Amino acid sequence: MSEPLLNELSQVGRQGVRYPAPDVPLADLPDGLTRHDLPLPEVSEIDVVRHFTRLSQLNHSIDTGFYPLGSCTMKYNPKINEETARLPGFLWVHPLQPVETVQGSLALMYHLQESIKEIGGFAAVTLQPAAGAHGELTGVLIMRAYHAANGHTERKKILIPDSAHGTNPASSAMAGLQVVQLPSDARGNIDLAALEAECDDTLLGLMLTNPNTLGLFDEHLEDIVRLVHDAGGLMYGDGANMNALLGIARPGDLGIDVMHFNLHKTFSTPHGGGGPGSGPVAVSAALADFLPAPIVDIIEPGDEELPPLYGFVTPKHSIGRVKAFHGHFGIFVRAYTYILMHGAEGLRQVAENAVLNANYLMAKLKGTYPVPYERPCMHEFVAEGQVEGAPDVRALDIAKRLLDYGIHPPTNYFPLIVHEALMIEPTETESKQMLDGFVVALEQIAAEARTNPEVLHTAPHNTPVGRLDEVKAAKELILTWE
Ligand SMILES: *Cc1c(COP(=O)(O)O)cnc(C)c1O
């Protein structure tokens, strides 16, 4: 009998643990310390295991199926990352331990900082930010502090293309900046004339996602960087998704001054469901003094006998702390493992395969689902969720129907500049068989859309829950089991 058929697992007196005989004299707890009216479940160990294992299978996950969620980079999380993150020396450290007792952990953080500098072409890095959006806020605060230190408090305007991730304008607004949206041109690049018109002496900088959320590399990157720098502004790079660039191009070399990385996307650490992310921020030499404190550095160089001594330092004009303690350490271990496992050659191959897989899918699908900005894509591409001959079938219907095929839907209705957007990112970790299976599923869905649209409108049919009222679910959170 499966668990849902049981009304209530809890049975009075049932126990999941047996306590050993006490080796100290028994004593009653003082009055007021215990409550007897809490309705805690009384269950056995196997009840608990089945309950949570069943819950874990109600959702789609990267370990159970293909997850082509554009912009989110749902690549496979190698299990060796989990092994290293669970090494006792990493697992049991406490952030308040004296630095002499956590030298291994500091060494790992230092070398992760060095790797990020090398991969991105930057001079300095902070590992503190908790996720991408937090990295953006940190980055724009650094840009603001840099201009203020040069006497330019009037520089408050930040330019953000209309294809940008919604966190870009949100982070900028949180930092007290004035957000100006830039339109895209017909090829999906930033409209250069619009950019030029905004380049004045109130310009703080521009936030660029490149490749952008259409999966396209901006063909005028050099012009954009020149226009912004000539106007005294700084270039912010949204590096949440570095999957197309790893080992091929370094944003620092291309003129980006500040960039956040999402370890939970590009560097294969698990995410989703609001789990821990990590959004390190890297900067050019001119901005290094403004990074949040503390940063891990070598305090005393080592020699042939002794390893170097690592410790924390505070940059000269630091904007201060952006997070308690030192960031999400367990994620650092996973990301560093991934970087070391691949090495420089392997990381380049990651990018090559991610781009190849996305272009393969685009070529196979564009006859069925229109691709509005059609030129070679980077690690993802955006199609329209519209099928010829099925005018009332929408991207949402296609996305929901994919669930019946055991496939997580692509990101949909983003970016906003594509009608009925389906944003597809296969990642480098999927095989050709898997990609071909996805194409077959989408082609079958297109055929269903023409012959039996109702099956799409009412999808999904095979999942634990069907279509949800997402607005109501977000506004009326019910977080307890009644
Ligand atoms: C995911 C993403 C972000 C935000 O990262 P979070 O870790 O979710 O806060 C920002 N920009 C782009 C392009 C992204 O894909």
Side-chain angles (χ1 to χ4, degrees), residues 97-177:
Q97 269 176 254
V99 290
E100 314 81 66
T101 68
V102 291
Q103 284 295 304
S105 299
L106 294 189
L108 182 137
M109 290 171 71
Y110 177 82
H111 289 292
L112 178 60
Q113 289 172 190
E114 292 299 299
S115 306
I116 292 172
K117 280 155 64 174
E118 176 64 25
I119 289 167
F122 290 102
V125 174
T126 172
L127 299 177
Q128 273 182 36
H134 192 201
E136 292 168 21
L137 177 64
T138 304
V140 288
L141 287 175
I142 290 170
M143 289 160 73
R144 207 182 67 172
Y146 168 85
H147 285 305
N150 290 322
H152 291 301
T153 47
E154 77 288 359
R155 288 191 180 268
K156 286 234 165 81
K157 178 166 65 177
I158 188 142
L159 307 179
I160 302 181
D162 57 4
S163 60
H165 198 271
T167 50
N168 288 191
S171 309
S172 300
M174 279 178 81
L177 305 181

Side-chain angles (χ1 to χ4, degrees), residues 71-72 131-134 136 165 167-168 209 213 238 240-241 260 262 264-265:
S71 190
C72 292
H134 192 201
E136 292 168 21
H165 198 271
T167 50
N168 288 191
T209 310
T213 62
D238 180 333
N241 316 94
H260 79 268
N262 277 17
H264 48 295
K265 290 179 182 168

Side-chain angles (χ1 to χ4, degrees), residues 287-293 295 313-320:
L287 298 176
D289 283 344
F290 298 91
L291 282 175
I295 306 273
V313 297
T314 299
K316 200 158 38 163
H317 305 298
S318 175
I319 61 165

Side-chain angles (χ1 to χ4, degrees), residues 10 94 120 140 148 199 241 246 294 323 333 342 416 430 432 472:
S10 180
H94 191 283
V140 288
C199 284
N241 316 94
L246 286 178
K323 187 171 188 328
V333 182
H342 282 83
L416 303 174
E430 298 299 331
K432 180 168 177 297
K472 188 169 151 78

Side-chain angles (χ1 to χ4, degrees), residues 75-285:
K75 60 171 77 176
Y76 174 66
N77 309 136
K79 296 303 167 250
I80 189 167
N81 295 356
E82 301 305 311
E83 279 186 40
T84 53
R86 283 167 180 73
L87 289 173
F90 290 138
L91 189 60
W92 298 115
V93 285
H94 191 283
L96 291 179
Q97 269 176 254
V99 290
E100 314 81 66
T101 68
V102 291
Q103 284 295 304
S105 299
L106 294 189
L108 182 137
M109 290 171 71
Y110 177 82
H111 289 292
L112 178 60
Q113 289 172 190
E114 292 299 299
S115 306
I116 292 172
K117 280 155 64 174
E118 176 64 25
I119 289 167
F122 290 102
V125 174
T126 172
L127 299 177
Q128 273 182 36
H134 192 201
E136 292 168 21
L137 177 64
T138 304
V140 288
L141 287 175
I142 290 170
M143 289 160 73
R144 207 182 67 172
Y146 168 85
H147 285 305
N150 290 322
H152 291 301
T153 47
E154 77 288 359
R155 288 191 180 268
K156 286 234 165 81
K157 178 166 65 177
I158 188 142
L159 307 179
I160 302 181
D162 57 4
S163 60
H165 198 271
T167 50
N168 288 191
S171 309
S172 300
M174 279 178 81
L177 305 181
Q178 179 210 343
V179 176
V180 174
Q181 181 173 301
L182 293 179
S184 303
D185 68 15
R187 287 182 59 77
N189 298 313
I190 287 183
D191 184 314
L192 278 186
L195 165 59
E196 205 160 356
E198 293 291 348
C199 284
D200 54 29
D201 53 17
T202 66
L203 184 64
L204 179 121
L206 183 148
M207 277 182 118
L208 182 71
T209 310
N210 200 17
N212 65 20
T213 62
L214 296 165
L216 301 175
F217 196 89
D218 198 298
E219 294 163 307
H220 309 129
L221 179 63
E222 287 174 338
D223 297 323
I224 295 168
V225 170
R226 183 178 45 77
L227 283 168
V228 170
H229 282 164
D230 284 356
L234 293 168
M235 285 295 301
Y236 185 97
D238 180 333
N241 316 94
M242 277 286 285
N243 243 13
L245 300 187
L246 286 178
I248 294 175
R250 307 199 312 166
D253 298 342
L254 301 174
I256 303 294
D257 304 297
V258 194
M259 192 167 100
H260 79 268
F261 293 71
N262 277 17
L263 300 188
H264 48 295
K265 290 179 182 168
T266 312
F267 298 99
S268 82
T269 75
H271 70 295
S278 178
V281 171
V283 295
S284 63

